[in-house]
Amino acid sequence: MLADLHMHSTASDGVLDPAELMRRAAHAGVDLVALTDHDCLDGQVQAEQTARSLGMRWVSGVELSAQWQGHTLHILGYSFDLGAQDFVSAIGIVQKGRWRRAEQIADKLAAKKMPGALEGALAVQRAAGAELHSPPARPHFADWMVSAGHVRDRAEAFRKWLGAGKLGDIKQHWPALQEAIGPLRAAGGVAVLAHPWQYGFTRARLRRLLKDFAAAGGRGIEVVNGQQPAEQVAYLGKLCNEFGFLASCGSDFHHPDSPWMALGKMSPFPADCTPIWVDPQFSR
Ligand code: AMP
Ligand code: MN
Ligand code: MN
Ligand code: MN
């Protein structure tokens, strides 16, 4: 059983539309799939129709932004009711916040002699075929910075300007952990902490987060994010069991031109972890 429960479409910062993404996932041999755009549900209906028509098992998905102790976190939500109004409005509020954040990022870059960032990021997004009403995300700003000659590549854009703790890392629009998880659970959804390794936390801080995440109603952690090194997966698998979480896995696919991030391609799932998809709540 191949599960890929983390991927992005043009509804957020991916470059393939939801239907094309599902076709490629099916082609890669994925049996269970979720589209998890950042704070956006626009691609869900199209993804569901295509995934089911190709014989894949599909669950609703989203990657929610949240803040915890001054850090940006990502929470994967699964198997929620797409018609749950409170959850849909909570996401709408974050989308509006994302527009304000995009303007703020552009203002901050303009103050650093990089004018025109919002228009530039929107142009990058349009070129990828994105819906015009979805706000540009940091990767769109990064690609614009490269094309405008401000940085050599995307990695430099994040390292100098957009990454954690830098000018573009504006967190005030993200709900607190409990505020993000509450409406998701009320919509029948399951909360999974995305890529726990990626936050760069010390072991002690990561344990504090897992404790808070469980207390806030978190059900699982993503023990496998793409082709993550085996020792990281083993470490996360141990933490997962210790805290009584279920384990999830996903490629975190965004675009086809990075060979280390392909649909359905992930490091092996730890044999001693219980997969999130056995949770009865997951297969509603
Ligand atoms: P946003 O949703 O606007 O906060 O942007 C976050 C997204 O930026 C993540 O989901 C990744 O796709 C991308 N990202 C974050 N950090 C980096 C990095 N260091 N290098 C490249 N992409 C990154
Ligand atoms: Mn992303
Ligand atoms: Mn993420
Ligand atoms: Mn992601």
Side-chain angles (χ1 to χ4, degrees):
M1 223 282 298
L2 182 60
D4 189 341
L5 296 171
H6 190 163
M7 60 189 71
H8 299 272
S9 76
T10 45
S12 64
D13 57 355
V15 301
L16 301 178
D17 69 50
E20 179 62 13
L21 198 56
M22 293 302 119
R23 283 192 285 273
R24 292 194 190 204
H27 189 74
V30 173
D31 304 295
L32 168 62
V33 72
L35 168 63
T36 53
D37 277 309
H38 297 283
D39 304 302
C40 184
L41 304 178
D42 290 355
Q44 294 298 308
V45 171
Q46 205 188 2
E48 175 174 19
Q49 282 170 356
T50 313
R52 292 198 197 278
S53 76
L54 295 169
M56 288 189 289
R57 193 178 145 196
W58 174 92
V59 289
S60 56
V62 68
E63 185 171 14
L64 302 170
S65 308
Q67 51 175 319
W68 175 79
Q69 297 194 348
H71 301 274
T72 296
L73 298 179
H74 286 171
I75 313 293
L76 294 160
Y78 297 114
S79 200
F80 46 84
D81 174 4
L82 281 172
Q85 276 318 307
D86 288 351
F87 184 49
V88 171
S89 0
I91 288 188
I93 291 169
V94 178
Q95 280 280 313
K96 287 210 184 82
R98 277 186 165 270
W99 275 111
R100 288 199 299 279
R101 183 182 79 136
E103 286 161 12
Q104 288 168 332
I105 292 174
D107 289 347
K108 289 185 174 212
L109 290 173
K112 298 286 180 187
K113 300 195 168 66
M114 292 177 265
L118 185 56
E119 296 70 23
L122 284 165
V124 167
Q125 218 184 346
R126 260 195 305 270
E131 299 290 334
L132 287 183
H133 53 84
S134 69
R138 282 184 282 171
H140 302 120
F141 282 99
D143 289 355
W144 168 76
M145 292 176 86
V146 176
S147 67
H150 298 305
V151 291
R152 268 191 308 274
D153 53 25
R154 213 188 230 215
E156 187 184 337
F158 273 92
R159 201 169 56 246
K160 287 191 175 160
W161 304 104
L162 302 169
K166 302 294 173 189
L167 147 174
D169 179 25
I170 297 173
K171 297 178 274 275
Q172 70 258 33
H173 303 290
W174 307 148
L177 204 52
Q178 305 87 308
E179 276 177 72
I181 294 176
L184 166 66
R185 292 186 74 213
V190 176
V192 170
L193 180 68
H195 43 62
W197 191 275
Q198 252 178 49
Y199 307 114
F201 291 166
T202 61
R203 289 175 180 227
R205 188 183 285 277
L206 184 53
R207 299 180 87 88
R208 280 201 295 281
L209 168 59
L210 294 182
K211 194 161 157 271
D212 285 1
F213 185 65
R219 188 77 183 98
I221 70 173
E222 190 180 53
V223 296
V224 187
N225 181 263
Q227 291 170 285
Q228 194 173 6
E231 56 277 14
Q232 295 179 12
V233 173
Y235 172 66
L236 293 173
K238 255 171 69 184
L239 278 177
C240 181
N241 289 337
E242 184 190 324
F243 282 81
F245 286 125
L246 298 171
S248 186
C249 63
S251 61
D252 211 351
F253 179 88
H254 285 73
H255 47 85
D257 37 296
S258 54
W260 60 92
M261 250 191 179
L263 282 164
K265 258 219 159 154
M266 291 153 280
S267 305
F269 194 89
D272 58 344
C273 286
T274 309
I276 188 89
W277 51 91
V278 306
D279 187 343
Q281 190 67 27
F282 197 83
S283 22
R284 287 172 331 112

